[in-house]
Amino acid sequence: MSERSCNDPVLENLWHPVAAVPDVRERGPIRTQLLGTYLVVSGPEGEEIVVSELSDVPSDPQVTVGGRARSLPVRESFGFVWTSLGSPPDALFDIPEFHEPDRWYENSGSFGVHTSAGRVVENFLDLAHFPFIHAGYLGEQPYTEVKEYSVSIENGEIWATGCEFYQPIAAVSATDGQVTKYTYRLAHPFCPLLYKTSPLDPERFDVIGIFVQPMTEVRACAHQFLCLLDETNDDATIKRFQAIIFGQDKPILENQVPKRLPLDPRAETPIKADKTSIQYRRWLTDLGVSYGVIRDGNKQVSATKEDVH
Amino acid sequence: MGEVLHRWHPVAAISDLRDRHIFQTELFGHELVVWRADDSFVNVWENRCLHRGSRLSGGVNDGTELVCAYHGWRYANQTAGCTYIPAHPADAPSRTVCNRVYPSLVQDGFVWAALELPGELPSSDLRHEGDPLVLRSLPIDVSFEEIQHYLEDHEFDIHLTPNSKNTEAELVPDDLGLFSYQNSTSHEMYSLRLILQPFNTNKTIVHGLLSPAPEEQDRLASLLHYNTQFTKFREKVESNTFVNPDQHLGDINRPNDGWRAVSLSNTNSIEVEVVKKWKTAVDIVGFEFHPLGVDLPTFQPGAHIDVHLANGLVRQYSLINGPGEQSHYQIGVKLEQNSRGGSKFLHEDVQQGDRLTISGPHNKFGLRRDAPRTILFAGGIGVTPLLAMAQALNRSELDFALHYFAQSEDHLAFQDRLEQLGNRLLTHIGLGPEETTQTVASILGSYDYLSQVYSCGPPQMISAICDTAAGLGWPTKAVHYEYFTNDNNIDDSSAFEIHLARSGVTLSVNSGQTILEVLRVNGVLLDSSCEQGACGTCEVGVLDGVPAHQDVYLNASEHEAGNRIITCVSRALSTQLVLDI
Amino acid sequence: MLTLYDYELSVNCYKVRLLLNFLSISHKLHPIDFFPGWEHKSEWFKEINPLGHIPVIDDDGYILRDSNAILIYLASKYDDSLNWYPTHQAELLGEVSQWMMFSEGTTNTASAARLHDSLGYEFDIEVCRSGAHRLFRLLDEHLWFREQQNLGWLCSAEYPTLADLAIFPDVILSEEGGINRVSYPAVRRWTDRFRRLPNFSLMAGVLPAGTL
């Protein structure tokens, strides 16, 4: 299978997630792809985790020891293995809540999806689909309004604050439903985070996120991340919830055309509710990202068969 | 290749569209949906919601509109114009929010479509009487050029009935994409026509017609026979052809052709013919308008049009159309006692067959669909916008009731439409002002957080409803109303001036006008797209003055810097803005 | 009370959940951390099912594994209409069994492709996908001819049976494995009909069809 090579120095020089640490430790070497390049991530218990680029790709999927080329930079952050195809910065973005002693964090699954990383990120940032795609979970018809919220750029990160969505309570009694408040943060082009008031402490936030691995221009792996206050909670419940939410998004994500994210704002039709994604596409344009996106809309897109999945 | 884009190609059999199915296919790599509305109109659209590119084939056909699965955007039958955006229930979608429609028509049991404006529909000299039998269409994973090549040599076993023999069916050379086999030697004249649909570079759909159609008892056997024939052909062709997986697909899935930057003309007038005029109540006449040579624009419930009368007057009337009713507009006109020539003219002088000019729909009274329950209060002719709303609500899962207040039974208009509402319609006949207020109070009850009110009628009735609702604890945001007067609604946003630096012209932007509109009316044709302040297309530089930003495209620091403005929504804080155009 | 050892994203568990809801059988779900926890391969679960697969039901002590077996048990015990599994009509029952065997094929192709693409299982993806397309072609032809006879389901009856139920989930989630259904219009219409059935239940990855 021939892949377009990456040629995107912006993305090549960033850290990207490629596996969950427990998966590498417990299930042996994992073969995966990053920006079109085949990699192996290995690290039995007690050893350092190593990420190597595969120079030739064995056709038998069981073979994970191919002709290994160079070793790539590795770091473990937030329970995941991160690597880079170039020269990444010294630091990855931080999540202060992650270091608080009374938190637990969870690797709640890494799911492949047939679309570009940018599309996955935008979907995570979107509220308007809650009553349609996540009916009964995050929203319910006919409560579809997305009220105005604020988006700002701070220290090179996008923050969306004051986001609210109405979730009606099941009770028959006539009082207002519950309005859930969200704050979104993008500290990395493919790592959106969501802050939701913790049910245990209204002054603090639960952090939910996805770290999206751009496997190819039209394929991604979404690593689910949770960092919550409640360590006695039935963690299976929350993990399952996240998996269900992502599963519900899949048929939408896999049926968006084109798969690569169009950056020209006139390519699609944003509305006021899409404020965060408008800024996100502008941010990707300004950063100079070219892999997995469509920059110049006036040029014809030469699609590949993958686009027609 | 270019010529082929102008041809008609079959894209679906009519029988494929049953049961509100959304049929999915491609033509030269362009993804299409084909769907039939309950009024039998067949739509061929691009399979892509223009909001965020979701395939419409994953959505729902509710018989009048296509609803996108992602955010619930609704698109009207025929025009593909968006009628509702659930994230913003109070805002009627801009006219530019319209999916791409392909030329299409229905013939011989197929839906035909073309990518560009086509010429004649291919016809064959071999047509017989009666409808042909539409065979099962078969997709073959080979390009259509290859298939044509194979068809030139392939021998089909052709016969009309299970008992007739295949005797020397001739391949009759025909148009590109048509292969016809005629049996002319036996005394049974019949033909098999194969029509190729170029799906994309690696796939073709073979459609077939058998003419004349066999008798009913032989129909299934014929279908099975030709299905077997086509399947054998497919096996042969697929096993012999190497498919190059890296072959590019040309113009496939371009994000948007021409970016939908629409230059609207500064006139908004549509010529129509009065196809029907009828008395629908004691003092109300109904009119049905059909457009001449164009399509009527998409409307939403609550919209009204301007009607230009031959006596020079312009009057506004609400559309009573139900969802998906796109081929005509219907309005109701009450003969006003103090008519200054508007309603009088329409009642007495305008006749069936006359032509008029109307505007496209304006919507300042849009229906929000995010309340579980809607109470509609109609007073007299005020029923017209509410009737449109009631018909839309009647097709939804939402609870509603239409309370129609009228002087007498004979004053109730549009009975045929009222009947469709069943027990959601309640009439209140001959009530005086106090009784009306009491009735309204008992219908409203105290505010339950689930309901909203829309009312339209005489001013005293509307005031009474608003006061009563307020007294019962209803917040003003839940009570919507429209006055029926002949004055335009006054927009209380500010008026200001714009000075165009390059041409030296100064223009006024009045209340209710946007900078974009004023520029266009004065010949400065700026491109726009969403007209909601989101896409940035209509941006212009600001050289002086203080903009009042209403958009979401520029970020906070750009707003502060004040040297750019999104002209479709933003206004001015200062009395004048100097613009860099 | 019947317990189902379940994982929300499992196609075979969905088959059982569909029938439990169609027949309104009260039940409780015992969630298994299939992914990424691999709980189905744990010691405690292997005591319930030594094969380490889900779904498994425990109906007041009666334990059964394998989705097709569970469907047959539930239909035979709880479906008074005898429509889903018509034990009293030999020919129709034969057809139902035939298509339930066919569902092994769709599971091992389409749903295997889905496990490969979504959860990183190591299968030969090209073999899975081409296998699924071969089976979907057969399904499309069969369903198209049913439509010509004004029937809408796989077997020769005017109502759906376990044949339809066992195959539907593999079909409706096929896109997750890179198998699109644009070439199978009769199959697409059959999925509309299935989703419109009373008491139909969604799962993550299935979009609702409109009502008629």
Side-chain angles (χ1 to χ4, degrees):
Chain A
M1 184 196 326
S2 68
E3 295 283 345
R4 259 207 286 221
S5 57
C6 184
N7 289 330
D8 179 335
V10 175
L11 291 181
E12 278 169 342
N13 290 314
L14 286 178
W15 291 104
H16 296 281
V18 286
V21 171
D23 286 347
V24 179
R25 296 285 187 212
E26 289 159 30
R27 288 180 35 213
I30 294 180
R31 195 175 80 165
T32 186
Q33 252 183 311
L34 177 63
L35 300 170
T37 300
Y38 285 93
L39 310 174
V40 169
V41 185
S42 52
E45 202 66 58
E47 291 181 26
E48 290 271 315
I49 293 185
V50 172
V51 178
S52 322
E53 186 182 322
L54 283 174
S55 59
D56 66 83
V57 182
S59 51
D60 181 346
Q62 305 294 336
V63 174
T64 50
V65 186
R68 293 191 195 210
R70 52 192 182 128
S71 273
L72 298 176
V74 180
R75 64 184 299 139
E76 286 176 47
S77 294
F78 314 122
F80 294 95
V81 179
W82 301 69
T83 189
S84 173
L85 295 181
S87 313
D90 289 333
L92 183 59
F93 61 90
D94 193 23
I95 304 174
E97 288 79 5
F98 185 76
H99 308 294
E100 291 166 4
D102 57 346
R103 296 250 178 194
W104 64 270
Y105 68 92
E106 187 59 64
N107 146 41
S108 30
S110 304
F111 298 97
V113 62
H114 288 283
T115 193
S116 63
R119 287 284 195 197
V120 181
V121 171
E122 266 201 357
N123 176 260
F124 187 88
L125 300 171
D126 178 74
L127 293 166
H129 70 287
F130 287 178
F132 298 98
I133 302 299
H134 304 302
Y137 291 83
L138 301 177
E140 193 75 62
Q141 290 201 56
Y143 304 99
T144 56
E145 185 171 19
V146 177
K147 300 232 170 81
E148 206 180 322
Y149 56 91
S150 313
V151 177
S152 58
I153 319 260
E154 286 165 38
N155 300 324
E157 302 184 356
I158 297 181
W159 285 81
T161 53
C163 308
E164 289 182 356
F165 212 76
Y166 182 85
Q167 287 155 353
I169 42 186
V172 172
S173 63
T175 49
D176 223 345
Q178 175 197 325
V179 172
T180 307
K181 296 184 197 261
Y182 299 89
T183 295
Y184 290 92
R185 171 186 172 206
L186 269 164
H188 175 299
F190 298 144
C191 299
L193 295 169
L194 161 63
Y195 295 82
K196 228 165 125 165
T197 312
S198 167
L200 293 185
D201 183 345
E203 301 297 306
R204 296 169 75 190
F205 297 98
D206 285 336
V207 188
I208 298 154
I210 43 170
F211 301 140
V212 187
Q213 170 187 349
M215 294 173 74
T216 69
E217 289 205 273
V218 293
R219 198 154 167 231
C221 183
H223 300 278
Q224 314 273 336
F225 170 74
L226 284 174
C227 182
L228 312 178
L229 275 182
D230 182 8
E231 81 264 336
T232 60
N233 198 352
D234 172 7
D235 64 302
T237 312
I238 304 187
K239 268 206 301 208
R240 274 166 35 221
F241 187 86
Q242 260 204 316
I244 291 172
I245 297 298
F246 190 72
Q248 290 172 333
D249 283 322
K250 261 211 182 187
I252 292 296
L253 289 171
E254 295 185 328
N255 280 291
Q256 277 181 291
V257 170
K259 291 189 186 292
R260 291 186 284 150
L261 190 71
L263 297 187
D264 188 318
R266 295 169 304 162
E268 297 187 336
T269 309
I271 51 171
K272 293 181 291 195
D274 299 321
K275 208 152 131 173
T276 315
S277 86
I278 293 167
Q279 296 303 324
Y280 176 57
R281 294 188 186 192
R282 292 184 67 194
W283 190 46
L284 292 179
T285 306
D286 294 343
L287 285 175
V289 172
S290 60
Y291 186 86
V293 300
I294 299 170
R295 289 186 68 90
D296 181 357
N298 288 324
K299 257 202 324 224
Q300 271 171 12
V301 173
S302 48
T304 64
K305 202 171 140 213
E306 286 174 325
D307 226 11
V308 192
H309 154 72
Chain B
M1 178 62 163
E3 190 213 326
V4 185
L5 297 180
H6 286 270
R7 289 174 186 272
W8 289 106
H9 299 272
V11 291
I14 289 295
S15 56
D16 280 323
L17 310 180
R18 54 198 282 176
D19 295 336
R20 292 190 182 163
H21 182 62
I22 303 176
F23 187 82
Q24 186 188 3
T25 189
E26 281 181 39
L27 192 57
F28 294 106
H30 290 251
E31 295 196 34
L32 306 176
V33 280
V34 185
W35 66 281
R36 184 171 60 202
D38 288 354
D39 67 359
S40 293
F41 191 88
V42 174
N43 294 281
V44 179
W45 298 352
E46 183 180 6
N47 187 9
R48 187 174 64 90
C49 172
L50 47 64
H51 177 208
R52 285 303 190 226
S54 279
R55 290 196 168 107
L56 291 172
S57 49
V60 164
N61 163 6
D62 81 348
T64 61
E65 291 175 326
L66 215 53
V67 185
C68 180
Y70 199 178
H71 304 98
W73 288 29
R74 307 183 71 97
Y75 293 96
N77 179 29
Q78 298 186 26
T79 58
C82 181
T83 62
Y84 189 63
I85 294 177
H88 300 302
D91 302 339
S94 147
R95 197 84 64 74
T96 55
V97 184
C98 183
N99 275 314
R100 180 175 178 178
V101 177
Y102 288 89
S104 67
L105 57 81
V106 174
Q107 185 171 299
D108 283 340
F110 284 109
V111 179
W112 300 73
L115 294 184
E116 310 283 346
L117 282 175
E120 302 252 326
L121 190 72
S123 66
S124 167
D125 294 332
L126 305 176
R127 293 177 88 185
H128 302 264
E129 293 204 0
D131 292 331
L133 177 67
V134 172
L135 301 174
R136 176 170 178 248
S137 304
L138 208 68
I140 304 186
D141 288 335
V142 167
S143 74
F144 88 97
E145 290 98 348
E146 298 262 7
I147 295 205
Q148 284 177 292
H149 171 70
Y150 278 103
L151 279 174
E152 271 147 30
D153 294 327
H154 188 81
E155 283 182 16
F156 284 100
D157 173 12
I158 299 171
H159 53 242
L160 184 62
T161 69
N163 300 321
S164 61
K165 286 199 264 194
N166 174 23
T167 50
E168 298 171 35
E170 278 171 31
L171 171 55
V172 176
D174 210 325
D175 245 338
L176 190 73
L178 290 186
F179 284 79
S180 300
Y181 302 85
Q182 175 176 273
N183 178 308
S184 52
T185 56
S186 92
H187 43 266
E188 294 170 316
M189 281 287 294
Y190 56 85
S191 63
L192 167 72
R193 284 174 67 205
L194 299 185
I195 316 154
L196 303 182
Q197 171 189 344
F199 189 95
N200 62 32
T201 33
N202 291 326
K203 198 194 288 284
T204 306
I205 308 215
V206 176
H207 300 284
L209 287 172
L210 188 66
S211 178
E215 303 289 329
E216 189 59 37
Q217 70 265 21
D218 295 327
R219 199 176 142 269
L220 194 60
S222 286
L223 290 171
L224 282 163
H225 173 77
Y226 285 103
N227 184 58
T228 308
Q229 293 290 301
F230 287 5
T231 305
K232 287 193 177 143
F233 176 69
R234 174 166 73 184
E235 275 163 21
K236 173 170 124 179
V237 169
E238 283 183 354
S239 60
N240 284 351
T241 308
F242 171 72
V243 176
N244 181 353
D246 286 336
Q247 192 161 14
H248 285 239
L249 294 155
D251 297 347
I252 183 179
N253 291 340
R254 273 191 302 232
N256 215 334
D257 277 336
W259 305 119
R260 296 213 164 283
V262 176
S263 296
L264 291 174
S265 99
N266 60 359
T267 62
N268 182 9
S269 58
I270 301 163
E271 294 295 308
V272 298
E273 182 180 317
V274 179
V275 164
K276 240 171 82 176
K277 175 185 178 181
W278 73 104
K279 185 160 169 169
T280 177
V282 125
D283 54 353
I284 300 177
V285 165
F287 288 88
E288 180 171 306
F289 300 136
H290 283 228
L292 297 166
V294 291
D295 285 319
L296 288 174
T298 314
F299 63 90
Q300 302 93 21
H304 66 265
I305 53 172
D306 297 329
V307 179
H308 297 257
L309 303 173
N311 63 8
L313 297 176
V314 180
R315 291 291 177 261
Q316 296 175 335
Y317 295 101
S318 297
L319 297 178
I320 59 167
N321 292 38
E325 237 186 282
Q326 273 295 143
S327 31
H328 55 255
Y329 284 161
Q330 283 194 2
I331 61 171
V333 180
K334 174 183 168 191
L335 179 61
E336 298 290 352
Q337 299 199 328
N338 306 322
S339 171
R340 288 174 283 148
S343 60
K344 190 163 186 289
F345 190 81
L346 280 158
H347 273 245
E348 292 170 15
D349 295 299
V350 174
Q351 302 304 337
Q352 223 157 280
D354 285 357
R355 294 189 175 190
L356 291 175
T357 302
I358 64 170
S359 73
H362 305 293
N363 205 335
K364 301 280 193 270
F365 192 43
L367 172 68
R368 291 185 68 123
R369 301 185 208 213
D370 61 340
R373 191 163 149 259
T374 303
I375 305 173
L376 306 167
F377 287 122
I381 189 61
V383 76
T384 48
L386 303 181
L387 188 50
M389 292 186 187
Q391 290 167 94
L393 289 166
N394 205 23
R395 302 189 63 88
S396 76
E397 308 280 315
L398 302 170
D399 189 18
F400 77 99
L402 171 60
H403 292 272
Y404 189 175
F405 293 78
Q407 272 180 269
S408 76
E409 297 280 345
D410 295 335
H411 282 79
L412 295 171
F414 304 111
Q415 303 267 16
D416 54 335
R417 291 182 188 263
L418 294 177
E419 264 163 33
Q420 289 167 31
L421 303 176
N423 61 5
R424 312 289 203 144
L425 168 75
L426 295 114
T427 54
H428 308 276
I429 306 294
L431 301 185
E434 268 181 37
E435 287 169 286
T436 302
T437 306
Q438 279 162 18
T439 307
V440 165
S442 68
I443 292 167
L444 285 175
S446 45
Y447 183 54
D448 63 0
Y449 295 84
L450 299 172
S451 308
Q452 63 179 354
V453 168
Y454 281 84
S455 59
C456 185
Q460 316 87 292
M461 179 181 163
I462 294 193
S463 310
I465 291 171
C466 291
D467 292 341
T468 308
L472 289 166
W474 288 65
T476 48
K477 68 174 173 127
V479 181
H480 314 273
Y481 53 87
E482 184 170 71
Y483 283 109
F484 262 11
T485 65
N486 287 330
D487 304 319
N488 287 332
N489 286 336
I490 294 168
D491 188 326
D492 60 0
S493 47
S494 62
F496 55 95
E497 278 187 344
I498 50 176
H499 178 76
L500 312 184
R502 297 186 201 169
S503 58
V505 167
T506 303
L507 302 169
S508 298
V509 180
N510 295 319
S511 309
Q513 289 182 308
T514 66
I515 298 176
L516 181 64
E517 278 167 26
V518 168
L519 288 172
R520 285 188 172 151
V521 162
N522 286 279
V524 181
L525 296 179
L526 210 53
D527 279 346
S528 71
S529 184
C530 73
E531 297 196 4
Q532 263 210 341
C535 72
T537 306
C538 63
E539 182 186 314
V540 158
V542 177
L543 300 172
D544 198 17
V546 185
H549 298 286
Q550 318 254 27
D551 68 290
V552 297
Y553 177 76
L554 301 171
N555 60 39
S557 49
E558 288 165 336
H559 281 168
E560 231 173 40
N563 52 13
R564 296 151 78 177
I565 189 169
I566 304 297
T567 56
C568 62
V569 290
S570 296
R571 309 188 68 75
L573 292 176
S574 51
T575 46
Q576 191 190 76
L577 287 175
V578 179
L579 300 178
D580 187 14
I581 45 169
Chain C
M1 161 92 53
L2 188 153
T3 300
L4 169 66
Y5 293 94
D6 176 66
Y7 174 58
E8 280 77 9
L9 302 185
S10 153
V11 151
N12 286 332
C13 291
Y14 182 42
K15 294 175 190 180
V16 176
R17 295 197 307 264
L18 278 170
L19 190 60
L20 288 171
N21 292 324
F22 279 135
L23 297 179
S24 304
I25 301 172
S26 18
H27 60 279
K28 85 182 190 283
L29 298 176
H30 181 125
I32 297 288
D33 182 4
F34 185 89
F35 184 84
W38 287 69
E39 195 179 1
H40 52 300
K41 301 294 185 196
S42 63
E43 292 281 324
W44 79 267
F45 189 75
K46 280 194 170 171
E47 284 177 29
I48 300 177
N49 176 9
L51 289 177
H53 293 160
I54 45 170
V56 172
I57 55 162
D58 178 346
D59 193 0
D60 278 333
Y62 174 70
I63 308 227
L64 202 60
R65 64 167 187 258
D66 190 287
S67 55
N68 277 348
I70 295 171
L71 293 178
I72 289 173
Y73 165 70
L74 292 175
S76 307
K77 179 151 182 199
Y78 294 103
D79 177 23
D80 296 330
S81 73
L82 292 181
N83 283 350
W84 287 101
Y85 194 66
T87 46
H88 56 307
Q89 299 175 70
E91 285 181 1
L92 188 56
L93 190 65
E95 286 183 44
V96 173
S97 304
Q98 174 188 269
W99 288 105
M100 288 182 84
M101 301 293 183
F102 187 93
S103 78
E104 307 276 327
T106 52
T107 302
N108 291 335
T109 52
S111 293
R114 175 176 174 264
L115 288 174
H116 172 276
D117 287 357
S118 288
L119 304 187
Y121 278 51
E122 292 179 341
F123 296 138
D124 186 335
I125 189 62
E126 293 308 323
V127 165
C128 289
R129 286 185 186 147
S130 57
H133 280 293
R134 211 179 54 248
L135 295 178
F136 285 13
R137 272 188 174 175
L138 283 171
L139 268 180
D140 192 72
E141 183 180 65
H142 181 79
L143 286 167
W144 193 89
F145 279 98
R146 283 285 188 225
E147 286 178 332
Q148 293 302 312
Q149 300 164 286
N150 290 320
L151 292 171
W153 307 105
L154 284 169
C155 300
S156 309
E158 286 179 6
Y159 43 82
T161 63
L162 290 186
D164 305 279
L165 195 152
I167 295 174
F168 169 81
D170 296 323
V171 169
I172 198 71
L173 293 170
S174 72
E175 287 180 341
E176 293 191 23
I179 298 149
N180 85 48
R181 300 187 291 279
V182 65
S183 302
Y184 313 114
V187 172
R188 292 189 68 243
R189 283 189 295 273
W190 169 76
T191 66
D192 286 354
R193 285 195 286 282
F194 198 87
R195 287 176 288 165
R196 287 172 177 151
L197 288 171
N199 294 335
F200 170 75
S201 32
L202 291 168
M203 74 163 266
V206 180
L207 295 174
T211 50
L212 278 182

